[in-house]
Structure formats: C-alpha cells, structure tokens
Amino acid sequence: MTNADTPIVTQVQVYPVAGYDSMLLSLSGAHAPFFTRNIVILKDNAGHTGIGEVHGGEAITKSLEEAIPFVVGQPVCKYKTIVAKLKTGHNERTKNSDGIQNLDLTKLKDVVHAESAIEAAFLDLWGQFLGLPVCELLGDGKQRDDVTVLGYLFYQADGKKYDERYITEDASDNIWFRTRRKPAMDTAGIVAQAHAAKEYYGFKDFKLKGGVFSGEKEMEAVAALGKEFPDARINIDPNGAWKLADAVRLCKDSCLSYAEDPCGTEGGYSGRETMAEFKMRTGIPTATNMIATDWRQFYHAVVEKSIDIVLADPHFWTMSDSVRIGQVLDNWGLTWGCHSNNHFDISLAIFAQTAAACPSVTAMDTHWIWQDGQHLTRSPYKITEGRIHIPDTPGFGLEIDMDAILKANALYKKLPYGDRRDDIGMQHLISGWKFDSKKPCMVR
Ligand code: GKR
Ligand code: MG
C-alpha cells in the first residue's frame, strides 16, 4: 500500500464554540456562565469525517487556522509527521512560558497543544479507514473495555444572583441536573453534590476542587465525603495554593487516597521540590497536572520523586504522547491519570480512548457532568456505574451533529471574549478581586 491508497484530507474546518456552565469556584476564580472550546472537523476523499476538540480561546483558534495549509491535501496515513511538525511549532512558540505551575489562566494557552485536536480528528479518520477504534491505534492498543471516571465536585456560588445568563435546571426530573446548578458553598452542599452525582452516574470515587476556602474547611468536606462514602477513593486538588507546612498538617491523618498539587512554588523552592517533601512527610501519594506538563518537567519531577500520578491530559500532551507517558509511568511503577477542564462530548471520547490505551490508570477526571446534555455529537459516550464503555465502532464512533456545532459557534460569537476569564465572575463575589496563586479564591 502506498500513501496514494489511503484517503486524502480534502477539508479542514475550525469552529470556536461555547456552552453553558455553572459558577464553579477554583483558585483562579469563578467560572463564567459560558465555557469555550475549539472544534476541528476533517473530511477525507473516502467520505469520512474526523473530529477533534481542544480548549477555547483566540490563540488556540488562530493556531488551528494556521495549521490548515499543512493538513489539507495530505494523506491520512501521514498524520504522525504532520502532528509532529505542528508540535514543533507549538514548542517553539511557548518555550519561554512558565506554563501552568501557578494556575495562572493567561498561561493555559501555552500548555494546551492546539494540534491535539488535529491529531484526534486524524486518528478518528485513520480508525475509520482501518475499521478500528482509536485506542487500538495508540501505544500497545486497547488495554481495557471500560474506563473508570471519578465524580468531580466543585464549590459553587449562586450564579443567577450575579448574572442572569447562568442557567438553572430546577424543573429537571434528573437529580444531578437539578443539583449541578445550585449553590454549594459548604460541606453539606458538597456532600449533596456527591450523592446526586453518584445516584445518576454511579461514581465510586470523588475529587473535590479545592483552593476556594481555607484548607481546614475544605478538608472538613473531604472528611465528610470519606464518612459518607467509606469505600470511595477521595482526593482534593487545591492547585498548589497551600504552603507546604499547611498541606502536611491538613492532609497527614486524612482519608485522602492521593493529594493533587497540594502545594507548589514557595520560598525559593519549586513545586517539584515541595511536593517531594510533602510525600516524604505524609506518605500520601501525589498527583499533578501543574508540575509535569511536558517531558522536561516530567524528568525533573521523577528525579525529585515528587509525583506518583501524572494527570496527562491529552490536550496538554496530544493523545499519542499521553499514552507514551502512561507507558513510561507504568514501567516505573507509577500511574497515569487525566486532568480536565470544561469540555464537550468530543473531548470525553478523547479522554476515554486515551485512558483505554494506557496500561495502569487511576479514575479519570472529567468536567463532563457539568455539561452533560449539551452534545455536539448524536450519541455521546455515557458514564454508567462510574465507567465509560469503549465502543468497538471505528474511530471515535461518534456522529457529528452539525446543527449543534453551528449553534454553539453562534453562542461563541455573541461572547465579548473567547478566553477563560475567571477573575470577572469572581469580582461579583469580592470587589476588585485579583488572582493570587497562594490564596484560595474566597480568602482575601
Ligand atoms: O475547572 O476551575 C476548574 C479547574 O480548576 C481547572 O481549571 C483545573 O485546571 O481542574 C483543573 C485541575 O485539575 O487543575
Ligand atoms: Mg489539578
């Protein structure tokens, strides 16, 4: 078989899109009423359509648009060379960035690899040509039929009180849909979220997004979750907001199964160093999506022995590199996990297919439960009994819903800005609020 025998890409379309969100809180502030993403659609001359999704924002849209001439007219089988070329361009553009080590959202675009959406769409096409699901094309192929997902819980402010555009779902007959738009500013609210999410999705494990209130208050919520769900693996992610000494004190005798970025840069020490000390002092395994977001950071994190789990989001690494790091982690007795931000159903498939190809995995993060119902495809993957079943259908096995994409694109076009701005929402709660990587967002 030669290149000429495999399909050729005839068209690339890039759609910036928006969807609805709740007023979720994290170190970086409050989620706006809308989240944004970029969708890539590739068509080939065999009549197939391949789809990909990645974070929103003008910089990412621009990178994707600039990639179009490198993709159109290329044989699908050459996707690795094409994505590698685009990746080199990304690395060149972002080499002087600090990355996401402090959860500074203005740096997120430097960590996100726009070309991951192109890679995903290519893999979708290649899978359809070969008659194989995407996970079979990654690493050593499919490692599992079902992927475990955790319930990602967030403190949430009363969005409607501050901005009419936040939606409510009070009339829904689905317990989770009703709950996910209600304020949750204390332990009882978080436990109620966990019960509703478990009832609808069957989650066994939970993660609480921290970095919102004092560490004491957040660990009280962790303890309550541990009591309520004694068999669950419970985690917290304050995004490096806590000082090392506080992180050790707060977590030492807790029910945490792992601590995600419990501390970060501080007093002349890097997050890799403080996380290593945290591990030594508490014996609690650590996870990160902040201090090991590329191969060089990963090397230093391993040398420092600061991490057990790398949350290797395929949008930060590309799908193939995420699986590659999953294989290395497994060889070294460490574990792969997945970080997420708000996303549509195409990214849910990207996460699930990547996880299906990694040898040892911990329950995957996903923000999908906050967006479920806002589909861009006709039959999105489903979370049942805390798991996603990987379909045998070729590619992602998703059928694009063009009407939904065009609607989400129209919504995006109405927004005053396309980048994520959690500081604006936060200023409703605390006037003049500014991001501080060492202060939980509600502590000023
Ligand atoms: O959605 O607010 C959020 C999260 O805080 C997100 O921005 C983080 O990147 O969930 C992410 C994480 O694990 O750090
Ligand atoms: Mg995290």
Side-chain angles (χ1 to χ4, degrees), residues 36-172:
T36 64
R37 303 290 282 178
N38 281 291
I39 306 300
V40 170
I41 305 175
L42 300 189
K43 298 235 161 88
D44 69 20
N45 62 355
H48 294 138
T49 301
I51 47 181
E53 176 181 339
V54 68
H55 293 69
E58 285 97 16
I60 294 170
T61 313
K62 187 165 169 271
S63 297
L64 290 169
E65 285 167 352
E66 283 170 3
I68 294 175
F70 298 96
V71 178
V72 175
Q74 295 295 327
V76 174
C77 67
K78 275 184 71 184
Y79 72 92
K80 287 190 186 181
T81 321
I82 299 161
V83 172
K85 196 183 275 167
L86 297 174
K87 195 183 273 183
T88 311
H90 167 98
N91 292 343
E92 200 46 44
R93 264 195 316 281
T94 60
K95 66 179 175 211
N96 295 321
S97 169
D98 297 347
I100 195 90
Q101 293 177 61
N102 290 318
L103 204 70
D104 176 351
L105 289 181
T106 60
K107 308 277 171 63
L108 185 61
K109 63 181 180 314
D110 299 341
V111 181
V112 171
H113 279 257
E115 70 276 11
S116 66
I118 294 176
E119 181 207 37
F122 260 125
L123 283 163
D124 193 13
L125 286 181
W126 193 222
Q128 291 175 61
F129 176 74
L130 297 175
L132 292 171
V134 167
C135 58
E136 290 288 8
L137 312 175
L138 297 165
D140 291 330
K142 193 188 209 186
Q143 308 288 305
R144 59 187 55 76
D145 293 325
D146 294 280
V147 171
T148 308
V149 180
L150 55 72
Y152 206 159
L153 312 173
F154 279 76
Y155 290 105
Q156 184 181 172
D158 189 354
K160 207 70 186 166
K161 190 166 148 194
Y162 306 106
D163 187 333
E164 264 305 303
R165 296 171 306 165
Y166 285 104
I167 49 170
T168 49
E169 292 180 277
D170 294 342
S172 172

Side-chain angles (χ1 to χ4, degrees), residues 103 152 207 209 236-240 260-261 287-290 311 339-340 365:
L103 204 70
Y152 206 159
K207 176 176 290 180
K209 171 52 65 181
I236 188 163
D237 176 15
N239 282 112
E260 180 172 333
D261 292 306
T288 189
N289 58 277
M290 296 173 75
L311 302 164
H339 154 272
S340 84
D365 292 13

Side-chain angles (χ1 to χ4, degrees), residues 47-354:
H48 294 138
T49 301
I51 47 181
E53 176 181 339
V54 68
H55 293 69
E58 285 97 16
I60 294 170
T61 313
K62 187 165 169 271
S63 297
L64 290 169
E65 285 167 352
E66 283 170 3
I68 294 175
F70 298 96
V71 178
V72 175
Q74 295 295 327
V76 174
C77 67
K78 275 184 71 184
Y79 72 92
K80 287 190 186 181
T81 321
I82 299 161
V83 172
K85 196 183 275 167
L86 297 174
K87 195 183 273 183
T88 311
H90 167 98
N91 292 343
E92 200 46 44
R93 264 195 316 281
T94 60
K95 66 179 175 211
N96 295 321
S97 169
D98 297 347
I100 195 90
Q101 293 177 61
N102 290 318
L103 204 70
D104 176 351
L105 289 181
T106 60
K107 308 277 171 63
L108 185 61
K109 63 181 180 314
D110 299 341
V111 181
V112 171
H113 279 257
E115 70 276 11
S116 66
I118 294 176
E119 181 207 37
F122 260 125
L123 283 163
D124 193 13
L125 286 181
W126 193 222
Q128 291 175 61
F129 176 74
L130 297 175
L132 292 171
V134 167
C135 58
E136 290 288 8
L137 312 175
L138 297 165
D140 291 330
K142 193 188 209 186
Q143 308 288 305
R144 59 187 55 76
D145 293 325
D146 294 280
V147 171
T148 308
V149 180
L150 55 72
Y152 206 159
L153 312 173
F154 279 76
Y155 290 105
Q156 184 181 172
D158 189 354
K160 207 70 186 166
K161 190 166 148 194
Y162 306 106
D163 187 333
E164 264 305 303
R165 296 171 306 165
Y166 285 104
I167 49 170
T168 49
E169 292 180 277
D170 294 342
S172 172
D173 56 7
N174 177 315
I175 181 172
W176 169 249
F177 287 11
R178 279 195 311 276
T179 307
R180 69 181 173 176
R181 307 294 175 211
K182 285 199 195 329
M185 296 295 268
D186 55 16
T187 296
I190 293 297
V191 170
Q193 266 183 20
H195 275 293
K198 186 182 170 86
E199 188 168 328
Y200 185 53
Y201 297 104
F203 292 125
K204 309 270 183 297
D205 303 323
F206 296 101
K207 176 176 290 180
L208 173 63
K209 171 52 65 181
V212 177
F213 293 106
S214 69
E216 284 74 13
K217 175 164 168 166
E218 294 182 352
M219 287 307 289
E220 175 200 291
V222 165
L225 288 170
K227 220 165 143 200
E228 207 74 14
F229 306 98
D231 299 328
R233 283 166 58 82
I234 314 279
N235 310 305
I236 188 163
D237 176 15
N239 282 112
W242 299 341
K243 291 264 180 64
L244 171 62
D246 293 331
V248 170
R249 176 177 52 79
L250 290 164
C251 300
K252 215 168 28 174
D253 300 314
S254 68
C255 63
L256 289 176
S257 60
Y258 67 77
E260 180 172 333
D261 292 306
C263 42
T265 50
E266 142 186 353
Y269 298 94
S270 77
R272 286 174 278 277
E273 289 160 342
T274 60
M275 290 262 283
E277 279 194 54
F278 172 88
K279 248 165 75 73
M280 262 184 319
R281 291 208 219 159
T282 60
I284 298 174
T286 54
T288 189
N289 58 277
M290 296 173 75
I291 59 163
T293 59
D294 63 29
W295 289 100
R296 190 165 158 210
Q297 291 180 8
F298 174 55
Y299 167 79
H300 287 289
V302 169
V303 169
E304 288 285 345
K305 292 204 169 69
S306 36
I307 42 159
D308 298 279
I309 299 167
V310 177
L311 302 164
D313 186 334
H315 306 89
F316 289 6
W317 288 85
T318 69
M319 291 180 81
S320 45
D321 266 16
S322 181
V323 173
R324 193 168 137 216
I325 200 170
Q327 294 178 316
V328 173
L329 289 164
D330 180 60
N331 286 152
W332 293 347
L334 303 170
T335 307
W336 179 95
C338 191
H339 154 272
S340 84
N341 293 109
N342 293 101
H343 59 86
F344 282 105
D345 39 338
I346 304 167
S347 279
L348 186 68
I350 291 175
F351 288 144
Q353 294 279 349
T354 308

